[in-house]
Structure formats: structure tokens, C-alpha cells
Amino acid sequence: MVKITYHGHACIELNDGKYDIIFDPFITGNPVTKTNPDNLKPNAILISHGHADHLGDAINISKKTGALIIAPFELADFCQKHGAPNIHPMHIGGSYNFEFGKVKLTLALHGSAFVTPDGTHYTGNPCGYIIHFGGKCFYFAGDTGLFGDMKTIGSLNAIDVAFLPIGDNFTMGPDDAAKAAEMLQAKTVIPIHYNTWPLIEQDPEKFKEKLKAAGINCIIIPFNNSIEI
Ligand code: NI
Ligand code: MN
């Protein structure tokens, strides 16, 4: 059994009863989350890219709890230079067996930088993640546009759950995400990265209907809610 908690935007927490891992912990400043970042005690934090709505509270949580930060090399280095005590740099195509499960970094078509008033700090390439956790295989696409290699990712991995952005504007919208779902052949698709702000407003129910018509199972987790699979 894996408990999946959706903190809104792209922040997904997985818990198998022994380990707790969290993707893209954008909590502070996230208008749709009710989560108190002080209550998060993950073993590992997986970050897809350096944009503020993904890096989020990662460094502070890592400082407070000692949680391991897993990220593309340049972003992991950025986190370390900003005080993260515990990092594991990786890069696209590479995998590693952590005690909680096997992690592989996948391609994502997007940017990666941390932007502050004094400039733009590039943090390498963005990524997605294939992770084997609690006996299940998860694909966290990160922020990405549709790309044909999703078909390869699907053929190399029996994906139980795929987390796909549907917000459009910065990432895939619902039509491309539906095409992605088809290529990935995931057993279940969970939409993310929508309705945080008006710019990425979408109706997840319409996305679910679209997937249903294609014979693909879709679960919508309301913000601040959990499911078990
Ligand atoms: Ni982004
Ligand atoms: Mn984003």
C-alpha cells in the first residue's frame, strides 16, 4: 500500500509505511495548500527543476530534518551551496538504488533556473522521475511538454501511476497530457500542476472524461487529500 498525498500544484508525497518521500515541495506561497511545512518529515525530497514553484521549501525542509535532496547535478549543487546538508546529485538517464527504492531521471522539456531580483541562476536541465517505491512504479513527469520518448519510457517501465501536468501555458495542457497518458500506458493517471493560479486553470473532470473515452483510468486527488493504492 502506498499513500499518495497531493499538497496542490506539483507537490506529491508518497508514504509506504516505512519511508516518506516528497516531490517538488512548493508549500510556502502555494495558494492552494493547507500544509504546514514544519509537519513534513520526508526521508527524501526529489526536485524536478529549479523554478520556485518546484524547488519551493526543499532546502529549508532539508536543513530542518536532514532529508536527502535528490536532483539533477546543477540543482543539487545549488541546494548544497544554499545550505542543504544532504544531497544526492543525479542526471538524466541515470538511476540509483536508494534504501527506499530505485530512482531514474527522465527527460523533461522545460527550463530550470532559480530567479531572484538580482538575477537568474541556471540550475541545469529539468527532469522527470521514474521511481520504484512500495512495490509500485511511479512516473513523475515534472514540468514538461509532450515528447515522443514518453512511448519509450512507457515501454521500459510498467508504470502503475503517472503524475502528469495538465495546466497548459508552462506545461502540457489536457489534450497533450491525454496523448502522453496513451503513450505511457500507465495503469492510472493523476493530474497535477493545475488551478494553482488563473493562468493554469483547468477542469480536471474534463481531463478524466477524455481519458475514460480512451480507456485510461484517471484519479483526481483534491488538493490536501490522500488516496491509497
Ligand atoms: Ni517550471
Ligand atoms: Mn511549474
Side-chain angles (χ1 to χ4, degrees):
M1 232 27 167
V2 177
K3 183 179 173 190
I4 305 173
T5 303
Y6 185 30
H7 298 280
H9 203 52
C11 183
I12 292 283
E13 184 179 7
L14 303 180
N15 190 302
D16 68 354
K18 190 168 180 203
Y19 297 105
D20 191 280
I21 65 169
I22 193 161
F23 292 93
D24 289 353
F26 169 50
I27 305 296
T28 303
N30 179 342
V32 299
T33 195
K34 293 183 181 130
T35 302
N36 177 349
D38 293 335
N39 295 337
L40 296 171
K41 308 246 172 352
N43 299 97
I45 303 166
L46 293 84
I47 316 171
S48 64
H49 63 294
H51 291 159
D53 60 320
H54 297 262
L55 178 60
D57 299 79
I59 295 170
N60 281 336
I61 295 168
S62 175
K63 278 183 190 167
K64 218 172 285 174
T65 65
L68 178 67
I69 285 185
I70 299 167
F73 179 85
E74 296 83 355
L75 178 56
D77 180 65
F78 178 90
C79 291
Q80 188 175 49
K81 290 199 169 95
H82 288 80
N86 204 1
I87 62 159
H88 186 111
M90 295 182 70
H91 235 305
I92 293 164
S95 62
Y96 187 82
N97 282 307
F98 294 92
E99 58 179 1
F100 59 82
K102 187 178 180 185
V103 171
K104 186 171 187 179
L105 266 64
T106 58
L107 172 70
L109 293 184
H110 195 64
S112 184
F114 191 72
V115 181
T116 59
D118 63 308
T120 297
H121 310 273
Y122 278 98
T123 48
N125 282 318
C127 75
Y129 287 95
I130 285 281
I131 170 162
H132 297 267
F133 183 82
K136 299 250 171 0
C137 178
F138 298 89
Y139 173 53
F140 181 86
D143 277 8
T144 187
L146 179 66
F147 56 90
D149 284 349
M150 284 182 180
K151 197 159 186 166
T152 304
I153 294 172
S155 71
L156 293 175
N157 302 279
I159 301 167
D160 291 295
V161 179
F163 301 102
L164 301 180
I166 65 161
D168 217 342
N169 193 77
F170 298 112
T171 67
M172 298 188 284
D175 290 344
D176 282 2
K179 186 71 196 162
E182 203 182 292
M183 289 199 282
L184 291 160
Q185 296 183 58
K187 284 200 192 99
T188 296
V189 169
I190 296 177
I192 60 171
H193 211 275
Y194 65 91
N195 292 357
T196 320
W197 302 286
L199 190 57
I200 54 171
E201 208 166 275
Q202 296 294 339
D203 182 352
E205 292 293 343
K206 277 193 189 152
F207 176 66
K208 186 176 178 170
E209 278 166 32
K210 202 185 289 282
L211 291 196
K212 197 178 173 189
I216 301 163
N217 184 44
C218 174
I219 298 177
I220 298 165
I221 311 179
F223 303 151
N224 307 293
N225 275 263
S226 301
I227 61 160
E228 284 195 338
I229 67 137

